[in-house]
Amino acid sequence: MNKNAGQHNLVSGFSKKTKAEKIAWVSEHFANPKAATALLDTYTHPDTNIQNLHDEFIENAVANFYLPLGVAPNVVINGKTLTLPMAIEESSVVAAAANAAKFWASRGGFSAEILGIEKVGQVHFIFEGSTHKLHAFFDTHKADLLQATEAITKNMRARGGGITALTLEDKTHLIEDYFQLDVSFDTQDSMGANFINSCLEQLAKSLRELALLYNDFSAQEKEIEVVMSILSNHVPNCLVKAAVSCPVETLLDSPKDSQLFAEKFVQAVRIAEVEPYRAVTHNKGIMNGIDAVVIASGNDFRAVAAGVHAYAAISGQYRSLSKAEIKDGVFHFSLTLPLAIGTVGGLTKLHPLVRWCHELMGFPNAEELMKIVAVAGLSQNFAAIKSLVTSGIQQGHMKMHLLNILNQLGATASEKKALISHFIKHTVSHHAVVEALEKLRAE
Ligand code: MEV
């Protein structure tokens, strides 16, 4: 590679350029600028209204970045049969979801319940002075602080949500003079990031103003220094649980195989509970399902991932999010995780394909979507462990991987057909596929 490859000159005023100018500028850095521009063109929506919508989601948009959107039918949740939208690039995930859904549909389906919907945020501030006086100040002005947010919370309160708790937290054991306003929220069907952050910024402003006027404070105590005001993606009380169960002997065709399978399955989950190396991969498999539906539903998958992994480590050690046990001859498998997601606001109504996904799911509210997403995670985890403790993961993965390799090698439809049947009996590897394709082409 040329040592200057990827090295671009500094550019000023880039965001003010038109989209065409931005594309021209960026394309100039390619070996073939015309081809680079043409490729971006092919990833531009022919309907200008839709394209304009996408361009306005972010700054400096030059094209759209596609992920395949798949659907997993037969997902029975609390007795209702749904089809899940899944936006994901990993080849085996939708197939695994569909298989697990079908498997459990004939065994009573998934159950799901909400364990909590609390969202949280903090005003982080520095107060130099008497902790005792700060507590007295807070007790005196707590109602005023809440009152100051009334205009912001009005609509949310009308919908049944709002600020549900406000406390003063002493964090001076962590950092000298460090305190928090700790705030809990009910954001109803919205994920609520903008709402929460607006409330927090207002609380911070009022905190400073009220402190300046508080007569019991010394001059130094009056100068509360707000460091920042921001929601937390750690939402251990915004929880959903998805579960499946069935008599052990109905798990597989033969009761003997079923017993062995159930025991190995429970063992595999137990390993992920106690062994962080396994737990991370185990939870990654859960996130395959979670992220795919979270993305399709237009929610913030980074926020979800941050919260989920923090929850997995809440005991002080990173552990499995799912649990499995055999009790009185019944196999139980469940997943509990935090999901701060919404069905109004953000992209949910704006993005046409996201809206389509919501309609596919029957326009769920936030709690229903939490249940759907948790089920997607549990079904993915079930499919992964089922493969791992029986045939091994590669069998299923490699089938899909084979198609990717064949596409990379530019195989025609008839070559793909021939090689897919060839690899039913042979092990897939990149080298083996190249060889088999070469041999076929030489015939
Ligand atoms: C691959 O994307 C996910 C798995 O590794 C999950 C697991 O090991 O449980 C198959």
Side-chain angles (χ1 to χ4, degrees):
M1 193 168 117
N2 173 345
K3 84 172 168 20
N4 286 329
Q7 160 71 31
H8 299 175
N9 290 336
L10 291 173
V11 54
S12 60
F14 187 74
S15 69
K16 298 202 177 61
K17 287 183 191 291
T18 65
K19 185 178 177 188
E21 287 167 345
K22 287 173 191 168
I23 291 175
W25 182 88
V26 84
S27 295
E28 279 311 313
H29 297 91
F30 285 72
N32 184 341
K34 261 197 175 155
T37 302
L39 189 73
L40 293 181
D41 275 350
T42 63
Y43 281 88
T44 296
H45 203 283
D47 180 330
T48 359
N49 288 332
I50 293 184
Q51 189 51 53
N52 287 344
L53 254 178
H54 282 72
D55 289 348
E56 285 171 10
F57 290 151
I58 61 164
E59 187 152 300
N60 298 344
V62 291
N64 306 306
F65 194 94
Y66 294 160
L67 275 182
L69 176 67
V71 293
N74 305 318
V75 183
V76 179
I77 306 177
N78 296 339
K80 189 170 161 188
T81 306
L82 299 177
T83 301
L84 303 197
M86 304 183 87
I88 186 142
E89 88 301 345
E90 190 173 327
S91 44
S92 57
V93 171
V94 180
N99 288 341
K102 206 159 174 209
F103 182 96
W104 284 106
S106 62
R107 290 165 178 80
F110 296 86
S111 65
E113 61 176 316
I114 300 295
L115 305 180
I117 54 158
E118 183 193 59
K119 317 254 170 75
V120 286
Q122 287 85 23
V123 176
H124 305 270
F125 66 92
I126 300 297
F127 171 81
E128 292 176 54
S130 151
T131 305
H132 180 71
K133 276 205 258 172
L134 182 63
H135 278 282
F137 162 78
F138 178 74
D139 291 342
T140 308
H141 284 299
K142 182 174 168 180
D144 300 322
L145 287 168
L146 288 170
Q147 177 70 35
T149 63
E150 292 257 296
I152 304 170
T153 60
K154 190 166 175 252
N155 286 343
M156 190 60 87
R157 278 182 288 120
R159 280 153 49 196
I163 295 178
T164 54
L166 170 63
T167 58
L168 171 68
E169 301 293 328
D170 184 340
K171 299 278 171 177
T172 51
H173 58 292
L174 300 174
I175 295 176
E176 201 182 352
D177 303 326
Y178 168 37
F179 293 84
Q180 292 175 353
L181 288 185
D182 193 79
V183 196
S184 303
F185 300 86
D186 172 348
T187 62
Q188 293 286 300
D189 285 331
S190 66
M191 189 258 187
N194 283 330
F195 169 73
I196 294 174
N197 290 332
S198 298
C199 288
L200 293 170
E201 287 187 3
Q202 179 58 54
L203 287 168
K205 186 164 171 274
S206 301
L207 176 76
R208 292 208 56 206
E209 287 169 0
L210 290 164
L212 283 173
L213 299 173
Y214 192 61
N215 286 334
D216 288 356
F217 278 163
S218 66
Q220 186 182 10
E221 287 168 335
K222 284 183 176 174
E223 293 294 334
I224 284 181
E225 187 199 328
V226 172
V227 180
M228 59 190 160
S229 311
I230 185 72
L231 93 172
S232 174
N233 293 120
H234 185 34
V235 277
N237 296 316
C238 188
L239 279 188
V240 54
K241 179 176 179 181
V244 284
S245 64
C246 70
V248 168
E249 71 267 17
T250 62
L251 274 167
L252 299 180
D253 291 340
S254 98
K256 194 164 151 257
D257 288 350
S258 294
Q259 184 64 33
L260 189 66
F261 168 71
E263 282 166 14
K264 271 184 99 175
F265 194 104
V266 170
Q267 197 66 272
V269 177
R270 185 84 197 106
I271 289 170
E273 280 177 282
V274 299
E275 161 56 69
Y277 276 91
R278 174 56 200 151
V280 173
T281 316
H282 177 98
N283 289 345
K284 187 276 181 188
I286 292 172
M287 295 310 283
N288 280 343
I290 302 284
D291 277 342
V293 182
V294 168
I295 293 172
S297 73
N299 275 282
D300 179 343
F301 59 97
R302 287 86 53 210
V304 166
V308 167
H309 295 300
Y311 185 73
I314 206 159
S315 67
Q317 183 189 310
Y318 192 92
R319 296 179 190 280
S320 160
L321 292 158
S322 61
K323 292 199 171 343
E325 65 169 350
I326 302 169
K327 210 172 161 198
D328 302 328
V330 178
F331 171 79
H332 297 270
F333 182 43
S334 67
L335 167 68
T336 303
L337 81 173
L339 286 174
I341 51 178
T343 53
V344 298
L347 279 198
T348 52
K349 298 274 184 293
L350 266 183
H351 191 299
L353 204 47
V354 166
R355 217 186 133 68
W356 182 94
C357 293
H358 280 258
E359 184 165 355
L360 178 72
M361 294 184 282
F363 291 118
N365 62 25
E367 293 190 9
E368 286 161 349
L369 186 62
M370 284 167 77
K371 294 178 192 172
I372 293 171
V373 171
V375 163
L378 184 68
S379 64
Q380 208 56 224
N381 195 208
F382 178 77
I385 299 173
K386 185 168 182 277
S387 303
L388 286 169
V389 301
T390 54
S391 57
I393 207 73
Q394 285 310 83
Q395 197 180 55
H397 270 214
M398 280 315 198
K399 228 185 273 165
M400 303 300 280
H401 189 46
L402 170 63
L403 261 183
N404 284 346
I405 300 174
L406 288 171
N407 283 333
Q408 261 172 32
L409 297 174
T412 63
S414 68
E415 285 169 344
K416 280 186 205 168
K417 201 168 160 215
L419 290 178
I420 286 170
S421 55
H422 169 82
F423 277 101
I424 289 174
K425 291 208 189 90
H426 296 85
T427 309
V428 176
S429 73
H430 194 273
H431 177 73
V433 178
V434 173
E435 262 194 350
L437 185 61
E438 277 170 2
K439 197 164 160 236
L440 184 71
R441 284 178 177 169
E443 276 170 8

